[in-house]
């Protein structure tokens, strides 16, 4: 076979290119021989009232569910959600974990390519002259123990993925990247829900404070009236004590509500990545309660398929399946082609001479023959992990279905509860108004006024608490459906 030369260096084509040609042919013919199982998506059967999405548009997402917080028609809530998505530190940290997972995936994928390195060596060598056989003689002339060494070289190592070990490792890392993304989606959904719940608590508590302030004014009037009647010799100390007790009780309730308002504002500020106190001027003003939107008319299958916990469980199962393939591939031959080129000389002029050249092109094959069944045990372990992942995935679907059904029942039940409490509060306010009029007319006793006053306050506060809980149940329903995070993908 012909040779080619570079300066004074000659390379024989057969010797230099044979390993490369062999590697290329083996990769081409056997590159598709990936052993081990390949992941196929699991199909779960859902109840009949979960309908399929429009097949013509696989990315179909109902806007009223993807951005469900906008159904409350509260611009301040919309702004808080936007701030949370942009500045919440937990969400931003999960974005970095996605980048970490991508980098680890690229590290595994780098095994597909030749690993090429450059090295150089230069300096002086001094051999010992104290050893009798350390200084060989040529023509009875002693050799100089001092020598200079110049060397440079390139090294390359290429691992041929004949049986898909690297392929399975990269696929497993791809699943890990997807898991990191689903973890981010889950954090986004959690932060979104916490922002909405705390905002509902804040607005509801502010309305509870307004009601208690109104009753404190009424209690103050009753207390002043009892004092005047006592001073006029018509009233007694019992009435003064009773009205004072009512006033002080309501004032203590007011202090507790003020504390809840401050804590809710601080929580919202932290959730949106702001220092406590920066949003107080905007949030401290009482605004109307958010309107409760209607429950979703339909339950698309897509919503459950987009729950981050279900998607993460499915990706864990897929990664475990790829891990089986990695362990199975470990039972087959591993082929590595190391190539090195390292000239050595004592002077720069000799470094490129033919005699200074040194290189090697090899093909190394290793095959595990006897390790006491270690690799087979690894395969069985990976299979058991994958089966556990598959069962956990199906259990996650069942849990999601239960949470959705529970959320629907809770929402409908709370709706009826709020309606009945509203009627009770109306009647309590009417009874309180009438009892005060009768008392002022001298027809009714003060005890009746105090009782109806306390009853009216309890009824109005209970109604507001139930309304806040209804708003929370609305948030829980959308969280159970897994919607909301898609607005920022």
């Amino acid at each position: 076979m012909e040779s080619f030369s570079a300066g004074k260096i000659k390379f024989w084509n057969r010797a230099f290119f044979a390993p490369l040609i062999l590697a290329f042919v083996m990769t081409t013919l056997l590159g598709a021989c990936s052993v081990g199982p390949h992941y196929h998506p699991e199909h779960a059967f859902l109840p009949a009232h979960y309908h399929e999405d429009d097949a013509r548009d696989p990315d179909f997402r109902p806007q009223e569910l993807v951005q469900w917080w906008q159904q409350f028609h509260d611009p301040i809530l919309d702004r808080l959600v936007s701030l949370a998505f942009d500045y919440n530190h937990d969400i931003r940290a999960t974005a970095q974990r996605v980048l970490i997972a991508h980098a680890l995936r690229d590290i595994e994928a780098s095994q597909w390519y030749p690993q090429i390195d450059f090295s150089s060596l230069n300096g002086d060598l001094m051999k010992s002259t104290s050893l009798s056989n350390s200084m060989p003689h040529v023509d009875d002339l002693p050799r100089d123990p001092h020598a200079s060494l110049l060397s440079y070289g390139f090294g390359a190592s290429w691992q041929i993925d004949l049986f898909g070990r690297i392929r399975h490792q990269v696929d497993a890392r791809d699943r890990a990247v997807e898991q990191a993304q689903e973890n981010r989606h889950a954090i986004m959904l959690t932060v979104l829900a916490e922002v909405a719940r705390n905002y509902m608590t804040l607005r509801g508590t502010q309305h509870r404070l307004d009601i208690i302030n109104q009753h404190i004014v009424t209690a103050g009037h009753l207390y002043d009236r009892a004092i005047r009647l006592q001073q006029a010799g018509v009233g007694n100390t019992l009435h003064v004590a009773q009205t004072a007790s009512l006033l002080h009780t309501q004032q203590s309730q007011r202090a507790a509500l003020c504390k809840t308002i401050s804590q809710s504002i601080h929580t919202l500020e932290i959730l949106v990545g702001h220092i406590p106190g920066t949003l107080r001027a905007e949030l401290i003003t009482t605004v109307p309660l958010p309107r409760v939107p209607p429950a979703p008319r339909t339950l698309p299958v897509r919503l459950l398929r987009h729950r981050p916990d279900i998607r993460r469980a499915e990706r864990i199962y897929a990664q475990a399946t790829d891990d089986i393939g990695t362990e199975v591939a470990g039972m087959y031959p591993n082929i590595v082609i190391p190539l090195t080129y390292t000239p050595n000389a004592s002077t720069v002029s000799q470094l490129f001479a033919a005699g200074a050249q040194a290189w090697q092109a090899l093909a190394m094959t290793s095959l595990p023959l006897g390790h006491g069944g270690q690799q087979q045990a690894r395969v069985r372990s990976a299979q058991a992990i994958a089966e556990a992942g598959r069962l956990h995935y199906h259990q996650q679907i069942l849990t999601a279905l239960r949470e959705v059904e529970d959320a629907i029942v809770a929402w409908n039940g709370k709706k009826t509860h709020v309606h009945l409490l509203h009627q009770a509060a109306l009647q309590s306010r009417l009874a309180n108004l009438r009892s005060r009029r009768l008392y002022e007319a001298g027809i009714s006793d003060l005890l009746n006024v105090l009782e109806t006053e306390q009853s009216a306050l309890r009824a109005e506060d209970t109604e507001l608490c139930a309304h806040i809980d209804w708003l929370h149940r609305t948030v829980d329903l959308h969280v159970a459906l897994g919607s909301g995070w898609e607005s920022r993908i």
Side-chain angles (χ1 to χ4, degrees):
M1 179 168 296
E2 296 182 358
S3 64
F4 68 94
S5 63
K8 297 181 179 180
I9 308 171
K10 286 190 175 184
F11 299 95
W12 291 99
N13 289 4
R14 183 189 303 276
F16 191 77
F17 286 106
L20 298 180
I21 296 174
L22 176 62
F24 175 78
V25 172
M26 294 178 68
T27 303
T28 303
L29 295 179
L30 301 177
C33 299
S34 180
V35 298
H38 297 277
Y39 175 74
H40 298 286
E42 290 275 325
H43 296 284
F45 296 97
L46 299 176
H49 56 276
Y50 289 88
H51 73 87
E52 290 287 346
D53 295 328
D54 190 351
R56 295 169 298 178
D57 185 6
D59 294 326
F60 169 71
R61 294 182 174 94
Q63 187 67 17
E64 68 274 10
L65 294 179
V66 172
Q67 295 182 329
W68 51 264
W69 59 91
Q70 295 183 352
Q71 303 302 309
F72 292 103
H73 299 287
D74 191 314
I76 298 179
L77 175 60
D78 296 342
R79 179 172 176 271
L80 291 174
V81 170
S82 180
L83 288 174
F85 279 153
D86 291 335
Y87 299 109
N88 181 271
H89 294 296
D90 289 330
I91 294 177
R92 297 171 68 184
T94 56
Q96 297 304 310
R97 294 188 184 98
V98 173
L99 296 180
I100 294 172
H102 274 290
L104 293 176
R105 183 265 178 202
D106 293 340
I107 291 174
E108 295 290 350
S110 67
Q111 299 180 78
W112 272 326
Y113 308 101
Q115 311 296 302
I116 303 174
D117 300 290
F118 171 78
S119 63
S120 65
L121 178 66
N122 62 83
D124 295 332
L125 301 177
M126 175 65 73
K127 292 187 177 182
S128 173
T129 59
S130 298
L131 297 177
S132 60
N133 60 349
S134 64
M135 299 297 298
H137 290 68
V138 179
D139 298 330
D140 295 329
L141 295 176
R143 183 173 297 175
D144 188 356
H146 178 272
S148 297
L149 176 63
L150 298 176
S151 175
Y152 72 93
F154 295 91
S157 177
W158 189 11
Q159 184 169 343
I160 309 301
D161 191 27
L162 295 181
F163 301 100
R165 184 184 63 84
I166 299 177
R167 162 62 64 185
H168 284 296
Q169 288 178 340
V170 173
D171 287 345
R173 284 298 178 183
D174 284 333
R175 313 303 186 198
V177 171
E178 293 163 353
Q179 290 176 43
Q181 291 171 338
E182 297 308 326
N183 286 333
R184 181 170 183 269
H185 297 159
I187 292 296
M188 292 173 66
L189 187 58
T190 300
V191 171
L192 169 59
E194 288 302 310
V195 169
R197 290 191 186 102
N198 279 277
Y199 185 77
M200 305 308 174
T201 299
L202 170 64
R203 294 312 185 194
T205 306
Q206 287 174 333
H207 282 267
R208 293 177 63 196
L209 181 61
D210 288 343
I211 291 176
I212 199 71
N213 284 334
Q214 295 172 10
H215 283 273
I216 287 175
V217 172
T218 301
H221 291 326
L222 292 174
Y223 177 69
D224 293 339
R225 181 182 176 86
I227 292 291
R228 290 195 302 269
L229 290 176
Q230 182 192 19
Q231 292 173 349
V234 179
N236 54 53
T237 56
L238 175 61
H239 290 171
V240 174
Q242 288 174 329
T243 54
S245 174
L246 176 64
L247 178 60
H248 293 157
T249 300
Q250 293 178 353
Q251 288 174 339
S252 68
Q253 293 173 350
R254 182 184 187 279
L257 293 176
C258 289
K259 182 189 72 171
T260 301
I261 289 173
S262 295
Q263 291 175 338
S264 298
I265 293 176
H266 295 161
T267 301
L268 286 170
E269 289 167 334
I270 296 300
L271 286 171
V272 301
H274 286 54
I275 297 174
T278 55
L279 300 178
R280 184 175 183 82
E282 178 182 358
L283 297 176
I284 198 63
T285 304
T286 303
V287 298
L289 275 175
R291 182 178 62 86
V292 179
R297 295 185 301 272
T298 59
L299 296 173
V301 173
R302 183 204 62 80
L303 292 177
L304 287 180
R305 289 174 179 167
H306 280 73
R307 272 185 54 135
D309 55 344
I310 293 179
R311 292 161 61 92
R312 181 174 55 221
E314 191 265 345
R315 293 295 85 191
I316 292 175
Y317 172 40
Q319 181 181 7
T321 303
D322 287 314
D323 289 339
I324 298 176
T326 300
E327 298 300 340
V328 172
M331 302 172 65
Y332 289 81
N334 185 31
I335 301 176
V336 179
I337 298 179
L339 305 174
T340 59
Y341 173 64
T342 55
N344 295 277
S346 293
T347 64
V348 176
S349 60
Q350 297 173 342
L351 194 59
F352 299 96
Q357 306 309 308
W359 57 273
Q360 67 177 8
L362 306 173
M364 300 175 58
T365 303
S366 62
L367 175 64
L369 294 179
H371 294 273
Q374 179 185 114
Q375 196 61 34
Q376 291 84 349
R378 290 179 180 273
V379 172
R380 294 196 305 273
S381 175
Q383 290 172 337
I385 293 173
E387 178 63 14
R390 186 185 72 84
L391 295 173
H392 175 70
Y393 168 59
H394 285 279
Q395 181 61 41
Q396 203 68 38
I397 293 176
L398 296 178
T399 301
L401 291 173
R402 176 185 60 80
E403 290 178 355
V404 172
E405 297 295 336
D406 288 349
I408 293 174
V409 171
W411 190 90
N412 289 325
K414 188 57 65 174
K415 178 181 179 181
T416 304
H417 188 211
V418 169
H419 176 72
L420 294 175
L421 288 176
H422 179 68
Q423 299 300 320
L426 288 177
Q427 296 301 320
S428 294
R429 283 194 292 269
L430 181 59
N432 187 30
L433 178 61
R434 290 175 177 173
S435 68
R436 289 206 305 267
R437 289 177 178 175
L438 292 173
Y439 173 68
E440 292 171 357
I443 301 175
S444 177
D445 185 74
L446 177 61
L447 182 59
N448 290 331
V449 177
L450 296 178
E451 290 178 350
T452 55
E453 174 68 21
Q454 292 176 331
S455 177
L457 176 59
R458 285 195 300 269
E460 293 178 77
D461 191 65
T462 303
E463 179 197 1
L464 260 177
C465 290
H467 194 89
I468 296 170
D469 195 44
W470 190 19
L471 290 169
H472 287 172
R473 298 289 78 75
T474 305
V475 174
D476 293 343
L477 175 57
H478 288 92
V479 171
L481 292 172
S483 56
W485 60 266
E486 306 101 313
S487 62
R488 287 300 182 95
I489 60 175

